[in-house]
Amino acid sequence: MDDSRVAKCTYGAGTLMLILSSITTFDWLSNELCSRFKLKLGHFELRYSFTDCSNCLLELDDDLKIMFMVCGLTKNQLIHIVVRDNAVVNYVQTVNTNIIASPFLLEAVPNNYSFAQDEDTCKYSIQTGSIVDSSATSSSCLSMDFDGISSEYGNEYLSKYGSCGGRKYLSIDWEGYITHEGEKFEGEVCEFRDKLAKYSIENGFKMKYLKNEPRRVTAVCAKKESNGCEWHVHAVKSNVNGFFYVKNLNNAHSCSGLIREKRNKAMGSRLVSSIVKDKVRSNPLVRPIELITDLKENYGLDIPYHVAWYGKESATKDLHGDEELSYAHLPWYVNVLKASNVESHCVLDCGEDGSRFQRIFICFKASIDGFRWCRPMLFIDGTFVTNKYKEVFHFAFAIVSGETVDNWRWFLQRISEVLVDEGRQLTFIFDRHGAIIDAVRTVFRASPHGFCLYHLKENLKKKYLHAVGSSFKDHILWLFCKLLYAPTVEEYQDTLKKLRDDGGSKIIDKFLANLPVQNFANAFFPGKRYGEVSNALSESFNSWVKDVRRLPIYEMIDTVRIKMMEMISRRKLASEKWSSVLCPVIEDELKNLAAKGGHWRICRASESVFEVHADLSVMVNLDERFCSCYQWQLLGFPCQHAIQVIQHSGLCLYNFVDEYYKADFYKATYATPIFPIPDIEKPPPGDVLLLPPHTRKPPRRPPTKRFKSSNETKRQVKCKRCGSCDRHNRRTCKVPI
């Protein structure tokens, strides 16, 4: 039985037909190609392809055997073999000298460069469709052997003046994307267009479409009219399986100037999207300038900023879907969430007609159960979402159409529904946002609420001009913090007098006029804050979810769920290894406090009342859990005076620590997991879609970061004389130079 196959071997513009059989060896094939194409062993590589198999490496006898086996399985009679140089000759140095009868041998020169002699000068030209004959001679050219870029004339002796070493880019495989007739593209027309564009970029030519339709694509070389280049490709869509097939291909160029360029108009945003998709998936906040650098370093391509920006946006859309269609998945998501996480509280508000998204509230069963073992405090804050439809993102958590009084009331009403059986007095911490203040006072009238210290300090700092200096501002802020932490009314009044004297009575009185003392000062606060005076926990959550805020709403909500699910699981597993009574951090703090004050004198006044003589004497009442330094009352954790009294009495320290600090409570907090919500059965959006909220597209490019106030970022002043940033300029610089 004859097992011979016809091999179509292509090198540049030359084509050679060979008959191969199962007894053909790789050495014979290599020697035959060297003889016919005038190549040199070791300076070229072979790749074969046929229907359903393309761009396969051929470099061993085993590769030949596998090639014939696949041919038998696929019943292919024609094999396409492409001969490619290992290196590209960048330039040819001509020598004007008079050497008699020296043969000029051209070996492994890509694109069929040949040399035509003049009387005294060696010139090079490009042959179209012919193979250089090794018998060509010249009476005026020096015998030279071009083995590729690594053996340029004299380069090994030039040291740093020689040519620099090259590198292989990740786009090297693009060169073999279009190889033969019958080649299949399962991604239909989109895959074919993508690979055709990459093929033209890597092979250094420009093309233009004669037909560019969903069912057929025809492209020719851009130099067809000017140089008469015959390269063309025609692909059509199959009616049987919907795949795209190359029906007609002339893969040989007869034009000049096939040089790979760094800038190519074919590198549009869609092509950039296909390249950077994995990078955008791993880092949704990657900047366009980073994508430009990545394409430059790994692909050797230059693209403008706007192409990188639109490419990233296109990749985000391909990965996470259209933002408008994302809203249509919310009704399904809410139903599946309630089914998989039973007793979770989830409310989707679609307006009066039920067709347009207004807001959504989600509180998982795991959060409801876990909060029962936490300190009864809620930290409230809002952050902006950076996708197309501007909304506010909160933790409990909710997404609403805007940070308004109505939305804050709606959000807190949902919170009250969740905590209706709480039975504990809740304490709220938030900044002085008018809508939050109104909502808290309306929905949780009996709950004390405190203002965030950080925002109060920033507001006070704005009352003073920049000219007063940072040292003066720092002193005023230190006095204000001392005012807030003052544990008694007397201490508060003394500190207030000092603050008014140093900071100016008019400014301080005006600042405190609209600041109720029961909302910020420890001496007047009616509830229990456990030492928490800032909204740092809410800010940390905002930072925790910043990477997902640009995603469409469905993906954003589910990504937050996954992050919460992983966090609960991770902390649960970690806490199971604890053997201490208190949480490890609290246990260490207790040990540190117990190590202090061992030399203090302790006097008993009654069964539970003691006097501790430290630097100043204080009274400790164990039954009331009271110390006249007031730290035990404020923190819910024994102060160093109380610890010395407890140890002096021979009692157990752990019995005087609030339960919220104990390891058992911590473990109970993370005992209930958040269960997965698989989307394998997610239906496609129906005919009736949930529409996105009404929004007005803002001018210019949408921002991705919140604009910080002037007080949030300190401008560093760099001295132009000494170059340091030590709060001085050239005029006040005293550094010896």
Side-chain angles (χ1 to χ4, degrees), residues 223-238:
K223 296 183 179 180
K224 178 178 176 61
E225 297 181 359
S226 60
N227 286 16
C229 183
E230 295 299 326
W231 181 93
H232 67 271
V233 62
H234 176 68
V236 297
K237 182 178 181 179
S238 171

Side-chain angles (χ1 to χ4, degrees), residues 18-33:
L18 295 176
I19 297 178
L20 307 180
S21 66
S22 58
I23 62 174
T24 302
T25 63
F26 181 78
D27 290 340
W28 179 90
L29 177 61
S30 300
N31 291 327
E32 187 70 14
L33 293 174

Side-chain angles (χ1 to χ4, degrees), residues 158-177:
L158 293 176
S159 185
K160 65 179 180 180
Y161 300 102
S163 60
C164 300
R167 60 179 298 186
K168 286 189 177 181
Y169 296 114
L170 297 179
S171 59
I172 188 172
D173 290 337
W174 297 359
E175 187 180 2
Y177 275 177

Side-chain angles (χ1 to χ4, degrees), residues 371 373-379 424 529-532 537 635 660-661:
F371 185 73
W373 307 95
C374 296
R375 293 175 296 176
M377 301 180 65
L378 290 177
F379 299 82
R424 298 182 296 173
R529 289 191 288 193
Y530 296 90
E532 301 290 347
L537 292 181
L635 302 178
Y660 302 119
Y661 296 109

Side-chain angles (χ1 to χ4, degrees), residues 278-452:
D278 290 338
K279 197 173 186 68
V280 174
R281 180 187 288 109
S282 60
N283 181 17
L285 295 183
V286 62
R287 296 180 301 167
I289 193 65
E290 296 175 16
L291 300 180
I292 294 174
T293 303
D294 180 70
L295 287 171
K296 177 73 171 178
E297 293 180 353
N298 297 321
Y299 294 87
L301 297 171
D302 290 335
I303 59 172
Y305 185 89
H306 73 278
V307 173
W309 190 86
Y310 282 109
K312 180 197 170 184
E313 294 297 310
S314 178
T316 302
K317 183 176 179 180
D318 292 341
L319 289 171
H320 304 291
D322 186 81
E323 291 185 13
E324 294 186 18
L325 293 179
S326 179
Y327 286 87
H329 296 301
L330 290 182
W332 171 86
Y333 186 82
V334 169
N335 293 332
V336 176
L337 187 152
K338 291 180 178 179
S340 59
N341 292 267
V342 181
E343 298 185 25
S344 294
H345 197 77
C346 186
V347 179
L348 176 62
D349 186 357
C350 301
E352 296 180 356
D353 57 356
S355 62
R356 187 172 297 277
F357 174 84
Q358 297 294 324
R359 48 203 174 187
I360 185 172
F361 174 91
I362 296 176
C363 186
F364 292 100
K365 169 66 172 176
S367 300
I368 298 174
D369 291 346
F371 185 73
R372 297 170 183 164
W373 307 95
C374 296
R375 293 175 296 176
M377 301 180 65
L378 290 177
F379 299 82
I380 304 177
D381 195 13
T383 185
F384 72 107
V385 175
T386 57
N387 60 20
K388 181 178 178 181
Y389 301 97
K390 299 299 179 183
E391 298 150 357
V392 178
F393 188 94
H394 309 283
F395 182 73
F397 55 93
I399 300 176
V400 298
S401 57
E403 200 166 355
T404 63
V405 174
D406 179 64
N407 284 330
W408 275 114
R409 286 182 180 177
W410 181 85
F411 173 69
L412 291 177
Q413 285 170 355
R414 306 288 82 76
I415 290 286
S416 65
E417 294 171 1
V418 173
L419 302 177
V420 63
D421 298 327
E422 180 65 21
R424 298 182 296 173
Q425 185 184 52
L426 295 176
T427 298
F428 291 85
I429 304 292
F430 48 84
D431 58 13
R432 282 205 301 169
H433 192 287
I436 304 179
I437 296 174
D438 180 85
V440 171
R441 291 175 177 174
T442 302
V443 180
F444 292 92
R445 297 179 180 178
S447 297
H449 54 277
F451 298 146
C452 175

